[in-house]
Amino acid sequence: MRALDFRLLGPLDVVIDGRTVEIGASKHRVVLACLLLRAGRTVPVGDLVRELWAGDAGDRAKATLQTYVSRLRRQLGADLLHTEPTGYRLAVPPETVDVHRFRALLTDGPGERQRLHEALELWRGPALQGIPADGLHELEAPRLEAERLRALERRIELDLAAGQHADLVAELQVLTARHPLHEGFWRLLMLALRQGDRQGEALTAYQRARTLLAAELGAEPGPALRAAHQAILTGEATPARTWRPVNQLPGDLGAFIGRAGLLADLDAALRPGATVLLSGPPGIGKTALAVHLAHRLRPRFPDGLLHVNLRGYTTGAITDPAQVLARLLRALGLPPAELPAETAALTTLLHEVTAGRRLLVLLDNLADPGLLPDLGDCAVLATSRAEFALPRAHSCPVGVLTTRESLDLLTSLLGDQVEAEPEAARDLLDLCGRLPLALRIAAANALDEADLATHVTRLRAGNRLSALSITGDPDAAVRGVFAQSYQRLSPAARRLFRLFGLIPGPDITTPAATALCGAEATPLLAELTTAGLLTAEDDRHTSHDLLRLYAAELGAADVDGPAALDRLTEHYASTAVAASSDWLIAERAVLLATVEHAAQQGPYRACHQLSTAMLPDLFGHGLSSDLTAVCSAGQQAAAKDGDRAAEAHLALMLGEHLMESGRNDLGAEWIDRAYELTEGVPERGVVEIARLLAAGFRDGWPPEVLTEAEDLSRRCAALGDHDGQVGATSVLVHGLWAVGEIDELIHQAELGLALTANTGDQSGFLAALAFGQRERGQLEPAIKRLRHAVEITENSEFWHSAMSMRIWLAEVLIDAGGDAEARAIAQEVHAQIADAHDHRLRASALNVFGVLHRRAGRLAESLGCHQEALAELKRDTGGLVDETRIRLSETLRTLGRAAEALPIIEPVLFQPGRMDSQVVAIRAVLECAEVHAALGATAKAVELGERAAEQFRRAGSSLGMRRAAEFLGGFS
């Protein structure tokens, strides 16, 4: 167990295993502080971006944040800082952070005085000192300081009760000087002086406080301070303080299910004087959560729990903050006749009545932030369908239940049915979208069915929104709850909501929404978000699945729907043509859905234009399945549009991608289709080169393909067709690489480098040249070439090439003994491809880790890496699969498990008709020889070793010849 100590109550201080870790970079300190304040819980990316850059976050903010996290991970340890689907989590116990230790110590009961002393000793200066984040200093730091002052005031009260008045006077004199408007400290100073028989000084202190309050605030002292003054004047033993606690909370649920992480977050945030806003769509369970939390925190607020339903989304809504204040004051026992009419006067009166009291006010269904009055020392817990930016408030979005929580809720409602019919129960979760209201309604209706599966079938087959209701109970109807918000909208916002239900993508931005509705959408989206019908993060607007279904139900009758969707597709197509890489990445899921929808429904021209514009992003990130889908959809749309050039281009892209994925036969078919479509057009030369490359991979690189490539290169050179010559040379390089003709490969790669300045072509020729030099044993030149390839692809559109070059560089560095640098490169690549869908890159990185583990003697870890890599490649064929089998066999053999290695490596030797890396195939022969030797089959081992040596010699691989000679030398 590592010893961890994180300190935020003063300057940031990090101590791990007794060693101070310096977090020097200011932005890194901000990220770490945010993670520590929510230790053990996921901090959303959006929250971190807002703290780092406030309103000035650029397009690369998330990528930059990823870099900060990566560097922090290296400082703290990979086991502490985790990447989660929605953000980042610091996996440390809360008690290792001084903020959480401080708060944990602030509890009533026996030993409270000692706990308060311990809590206050944790403070080493102002909270979050030296952390340059305006948001933290506007919200978190003042909140922590207020908690410190309340704890300090309570500690002094208990010290006074223990007779420590003589020691407290000097401390309280300092505190009243530092906090001259803090009436609690003046009151305690007066009591301490009185207990020391210094009544005159106590009365003087009161007059000083009264003068300061009048000068600074224009106000008289509050009730508590006046009561202390009166007690001193009359000689009472203690100030008279009468109070009757009030509890207006609705009843708690019998068994509240789930939300453990959210409850812990809220528990930490909801302290006296704090404001917490629970936000989320209708039916998400905000009120149930708020009521349960308030009941749970009752001991923290012994002076009262008040509740006001603002009815913000139904009839009879409260529309004036004065109404809220008057209700609270009446609940606290003030006669209605004595209440002033003006909001300001009501606010002052509430502050006087509740000063120093620990009260919680629950404000349910807040639709307008202007209705939230200043409630002074009261803690405020509000619920709303909108995520308002309330001043000094802790905002807490409430999402759907997790799958486990949803199943637990169903079990609490349906009992053994859930365990008896687990598949039906999970189907019910999906149909309800894990929305608590929908789950409770569905469970209530399921009790009337013969079994759960029957209810699920009925729910799926019929009108789901109609079925999710309870007859005779208007409050128990999902559509009715949604309609409350919909009916309050303006006509234009209603129309946009209906159209939103028709869009194929998962979310929509403001520019896209503007195109969809044909009018400026900014105010309409704000209205929909405020109503809780949409949620927004970084201008991406979406909704719960059932709300989306409700919108689609309304939109189905909208005659403008098809035309609106056409406008949306045309917007995406025109924007994508000149869009940045960041935009394409952010919109990827939306664009994929749009292309697939438009391929069937139109507009066809915009569909294939959008497909073409998406290809660089998809190729650059190695998104294989998405590439296939987009090329197929675009090719269909181009055929329907009658655009042969676009159809040919997309068929060519699809064919080349399929070839790269190892599906040679299918890829060649698409390239042949592109060849047919380009008959008689200049672009046919490009397709001819692709067709030649496809023939090589499909047919195992027969000599006639290489001969045709050589002839094509010469013809292009004679005609001055520079691009054609580069393409033909690239075909030659691929073929020579595959058949293992090292000398000619190096020659053609050098020629290709001299012919082109194109980054993509250059990186391919550099990689081929490095491969040849590596096989010759020229490791330093090979490393130099690969560093150059990494450099030119690093910040280009060729993301996939950049990752591949770095992995190859790591492999050659291992050959040269540069394990430390290789490990750093592999770790960086692995982190960067974490969100990509490129299984081949992941497998390559895992192989590098596996080799490094084996070289360090960590054989179990090595075995795991290679096994995981082979699992990634389960549907693939080709050199990478063979390479992975070789690596896995090497590790098994090193573990003394040669018998298990043999069936892993032997299939590589029997691949008729497929050749994409002869050198890898020869290495497999040598590894098979090693396995046979380990099994004691000496004759077979020598036979295979000699075969590998001869094949390495013919290929010109000095590196392979040396390894084969070393192996055979063991038998001489």
Side-chain angles (χ1 to χ4, degrees):
M1 180 69 71
R2 302 174 70 185
L4 305 172
D5 189 7
F6 299 96
R7 303 165 187 165
L8 293 171
L9 301 178
L12 175 64
D13 196 12
V14 177
V15 180
I16 298 178
D17 293 331
R19 178 180 61 87
T20 298
V21 178
E22 294 292 340
I23 310 297
S26 58
K27 294 293 189 184
H28 297 178
R29 294 200 300 273
V30 174
V31 173
L32 181 56
C34 292
L35 295 171
L36 288 170
L37 286 168
R38 290 190 241 180
R41 300 189 297 279
T42 299
V43 180
V45 167
D47 290 3
L48 292 169
V49 168
R50 281 189 290 273
E51 290 296 348
L52 285 163
W53 294 286
D56 300 323
D59 293 340
R60 299 288 297 168
K62 290 184 179 179
T64 305
L65 170 61
Q66 188 179 51
T67 301
Y68 294 162
V69 170
S70 178
R71 290 171 182 168
L72 268 176
R73 188 177 280 125
R74 286 199 293 269
Q75 287 187 281
L76 302 177
D79 59 320
L80 296 185
L81 186 43
H82 296 188
T83 301
E84 304 292 350
T86 58
Y88 299 98
R89 176 173 62 89
L90 197 63
V92 300
E95 61 268 19
T96 63
V97 185
D98 59 358
V99 168
H100 305 302
R101 291 202 301 276
F102 169 72
R103 285 170 167 165
L105 290 166
L106 305 184
T107 56
D108 298 334
E112 180 185 7
R113 181 181 169 216
Q114 179 60 35
R115 287 193 298 274
L116 286 168
H117 276 275
E118 292 176 18
L120 292 165
E121 285 171 3
L122 294 172
W123 287 74
R124 299 167 294 111
L128 308 176
Q129 185 177 335
I131 296 172
D134 291 344
L136 293 180
H137 286 285
E138 289 173 5
L139 296 175
E140 293 295 340
R143 182 182 295 135
L144 285 166
E145 177 62 9
E147 291 177 28
R148 185 186 75 85
L149 293 178
R150 279 192 291 273
L152 183 57
E153 186 175 352
R154 178 60 177 160
R155 190 224 84 203
I156 293 172
E157 282 184 347
L158 295 175
D159 284 349
L160 274 175
Q164 301 296 314
H165 54 274
D167 298 327
L168 292 172
V169 171
E171 180 182 2
L172 285 163
Q173 287 172 334
V174 172
L175 288 171
T176 52
R178 288 178 179 171
H179 308 280
L181 303 181
H182 193 295
E183 294 189 34
F185 289 146
W186 284 108
R187 172 180 166 275
L188 291 170
L189 174 59
M190 292 161 58
L191 295 178
L193 289 167
R194 183 184 184 282
Q195 286 185 25
D197 293 329
R198 298 161 68 177
Q199 284 86 343
E201 293 177 62
L203 295 173
T204 300
Y206 176 77
Q207 293 303 327
R208 285 172 55 208
R210 184 181 183 188
T211 301
L212 280 166
L213 292 167
E216 296 293 330
L217 305 178
E220 285 293 312
L225 191 56
R226 293 201 304 271
H229 178 238
Q230 184 64 27
I232 294 170
L233 288 173
T234 60
E236 294 179 17
T238 56
R241 303 176 71 182
T242 59
W243 184 269
R244 286 188 299 173
V246 179
N247 185 355
Q248 293 184 313
L249 291 180
D252 195 5
L253 292 173
F256 187 84
I257 303 295
R259 311 283 195 197
L262 191 54
L263 282 167
D265 193 8
L266 293 167
D267 187 288
L270 198 57
R271 301 282 163 171
T275 298
V276 172
L277 174 67
L278 300 180
S279 61
I284 204 72
K286 302 179 296 295
T287 298
L289 173 63
V291 169
H292 175 70
L293 177 68
H295 278 284
R296 178 166 137 166
L297 297 183
R298 186 172 179 177
R300 187 178 297 171
F301 300 100
D303 294 325
L305 302 161
L306 306 179
H307 172 252
V308 179
N309 186 356
L310 302 173
R311 307 185 65 82
Y313 304 95
T314 59
T315 56
I318 291 176
T319 58
D320 187 344
Q323 294 176 271
V324 180
L325 291 162
R327 286 195 180 196
L328 294 174
L329 286 165
R330 288 198 299 272
L332 293 172
L334 275 73
E338 296 181 10
L339 299 181
E342 298 81 11
T343 300
L346 286 165
T347 301
T348 300
L349 181 58
L350 183 76
H351 287 189
E352 289 182 358
V353 171
T354 61
R357 297 291 178 187
R358 285 183 285 179
L359 285 157
L360 173 63
V361 178
L362 172 55
L363 299 178
D364 202 11
N365 292 306
L366 175 68
D368 179 0
L371 286 174
L372 184 64
D374 177 4
L375 299 182
D377 287 345
C378 298
V380 178
L381 178 60
T383 72
S384 177
R385 297 183 182 183
E387 189 175 352
F388 297 122
L390 299 175
R392 303 176 70 85
H394 178 84
S395 182
C396 207
V398 181
V400 296
L401 297 172
T402 65
T403 299
R404 181 69 264 164
E405 291 170 341
S406 300
L407 287 171
D408 289 345
L409 175 59
L410 281 183
T411 301
S412 73
L413 299 168
L414 297 174
D416 295 340
Q417 270 188 284
V418 175
E419 187 175 352
E421 301 179 74
E423 187 174 344
R426 288 186 177 274
D427 288 344
L428 189 60
L429 300 193
D430 293 337
L431 290 168
C432 294
R434 293 183 277 125
L435 190 76
L437 174 63
L439 286 168
R440 289 183 178 278
I441 292 171
N445 290 334
L447 294 172
D448 297 330
E449 299 281 5
D451 52 46
L452 194 56
T454 301
H455 182 56
V456 167
T457 301
R458 194 188 306 277
L459 194 61
R460 181 182 286 119
N463 186 308
R464 204 187 325 169
L465 290 174
S466 296
L468 288 172
S469 62
I470 296 176
T471 305
D473 186 351
D475 292 330
V478 169
R479 183 189 282 111
V481 172
F482 293 168
Q484 291 173 358
S485 290
Y486 177 74
Q487 294 299 332
R488 288 171 52 89
L489 298 172
S490 66
R494 288 185 197 175
R495 175 172 174 267
L496 178 55
F497 181 66
R498 295 193 300 271
L499 293 175
F500 172 79
L502 303 179
I503 65 172
D507 54 35
I508 197 166
T509 61
T510 301
T514 297
L516 180 69
C517 68
E520 175 54 51
T522 302
L524 304 179
L525 290 169
E527 188 176 348
L528 289 168
T529 303
T530 300
L533 296 174
L534 296 184
T535 56
E537 181 175 354
D538 296 336
D539 194 37
R540 307 205 70 83
H541 299 78
T542 188
S543 69
H544 183 271
D545 290 349
L546 290 176
L547 272 169
R548 182 73 172 268
L549 184 63
Y550 176 60
E553 180 182 89
L554 297 171
D558 202 315
V559 295
D560 185 36
L565 290 179
D566 284 356
R567 288 194 302 270
L568 181 64
T569 303
E570 288 160 358
H571 159 76
Y572 286 134
S574 61
T575 306
V577 170
S580 67
S581 175
D582 287 344
W583 186 88
L584 289 167
I585 292 169
E587 296 290 344
R588 188 182 291 149
V590 171
L591 300 182
L592 288 167
T594 300
V595 161
E596 293 189 1
H597 175 270
Q600 303 301 320
Q601 305 296 329
Y604 301 122
R605 177 155 299 180
C607 177
H608 67 72
Q609 289 172 342
L610 176 57
S611 298
T612 302
M614 292 172 66
L615 295 183
D617 166 59
L618 300 178
F619 271 115
H621 289 84
L623 303 177
S624 180
S625 59
D626 293 342
L627 265 167
T628 303
V630 168
C631 286
S632 298
Q635 197 268 343
Q636 292 174 40
K640 293 175 182 177
D641 188 40
D643 190 330
R644 288 173 64 87
E647 185 182 358
H649 175 70
L650 286 159
L652 175 62
M653 294 297 101
L654 179 55
E656 289 182 338
H657 167 62
L658 291 169
M659 296 290 296
E660 284 186 4
S661 302
R663 290 178 282 178
N664 295 337
D665 292 341
L666 186 57
E669 288 178 18
W670 279 105
I671 292 173
D672 287 342
R673 174 60 179 157
Y675 190 72
E676 294 170 11
L677 289 165
T678 55
E679 184 175 1
V681 299
E683 289 78 8
R684 199 172 209 201
V686 175
V687 182
E688 185 177 2
I689 289 169
R691 196 179 187 208
L692 191 58
L693 189 64
F697 279 112
R698 180 187 57 202
D699 302 333
W701 291 100
E704 55 267 27
V705 172
L706 295 175
T707 301
E708 189 175 345
E710 289 175 344
D711 292 343
L712 180 59
S713 178
R714 282 193 293 269
R715 290 201 310 273
C716 289
L719 293 170
D721 181 357
H722 181 266
D723 290 341
Q725 187 181 4
V726 171
T729 304
S730 180
V731 173
L732 266 175
V733 165
H734 276 92
L736 294 166
W737 193 330
V739 301
E741 294 187 16
I742 305 300
D743 293 344
E744 185 61 19
L745 169 65
I746 290 174
H747 170 70
Q748 291 295 335
E750 288 174 336
L751 175 62
L753 279 174
L755 285 172
T756 183
N758 176 273
T759 298
D761 291 330
Q762 273 203 334
S763 65
F765 289 134
L766 284 166
L769 185 55
F771 170 80
Q773 290 171 329
R774 178 192 189 185
E775 291 304 315
R776 280 182 170 178
Q778 299 167 347
L779 297 183
E780 287 306 318
I783 290 170
K784 181 178 179 182
R785 296 292 188 180
L786 287 171
R787 289 195 196 280
H788 184 197
V790 168
E791 181 183 346
I792 64 174
T793 57
E794 191 70 33
N795 295 310
S796 71
E797 63 187 276
F798 302 99
W799 181 89
H800 186 272
S801 292
M803 296 299 104
S804 299
M805 297 303 161
R806 291 168 75 180
I807 288 171
W808 291 337
L809 175 58
E811 291 175 351
V812 182
L813 283 166
I814 290 173
D815 289 341
D819 289 22
E821 185 181 357
R823 182 178 296 104
I825 290 171
Q827 287 172 339
E828 196 69 27
V829 170
H830 196 261
Q832 291 195 31
I833 66 175
D835 298 325
H837 304 284
D838 194 313
H839 64 287
R840 295 176 68 83
L841 276 177
R842 282 199 296 275
S844 298
L846 285 166
N847 279 335
V848 171
F849 286 130
V851 173
L852 288 167
H853 282 311
R854 185 171 69 252
R855 287 165 64 92
R858 296 185 293 270
L859 299 181
E861 291 87 343
S862 174
L863 182 64
C865 286
H866 295 313
Q867 287 174 332
E868 187 178 344
L870 195 59
E872 289 277 2
L873 301 167
K874 59 187 175 184
R875 294 187 180 90
D876 287 37
T877 59
L880 181 56
V881 179
D882 297 346
E883 176 72 30
T884 304
R885 286 180 172 274
I886 292 170
R887 298 302 192 187
L888 179 54
S889 175
E890 289 171 344
T891 298
L892 285 168
R893 181 167 49 80
T894 306
L895 280 164
R897 294 159 61 178
E900 295 175 50
L902 193 59
I904 296 292
I905 194 61
E906 276 193 326
V908 184
L909 275 60
F910 305 104
Q911 300 283 354
R914 182 192 63 73
M915 180 191 297
D916 57 7
S917 180
Q918 177 65 18
V919 170
V920 173
I922 303 170
R923 287 181 49 228
V925 174
L926 184 57
E927 173 56 24
C928 199
E930 294 270 14
V931 172
H932 279 291
L935 291 171
T938 303
K940 185 65 174 178
V942 171
E943 175 197 337
L944 290 171
E946 290 174 344
R947 173 177 152 192
E950 176 58 22
Q951 289 177 340
F952 277 133
R953 185 192 63 78
R954 288 202 301 267
S957 173
S958 303
L959 181 65
M961 291 168 61
R962 186 174 69 248
R963 288 174 175 170
E966 289 172 356
F967 170 73
L968 292 169
F971 296 96
S972 58

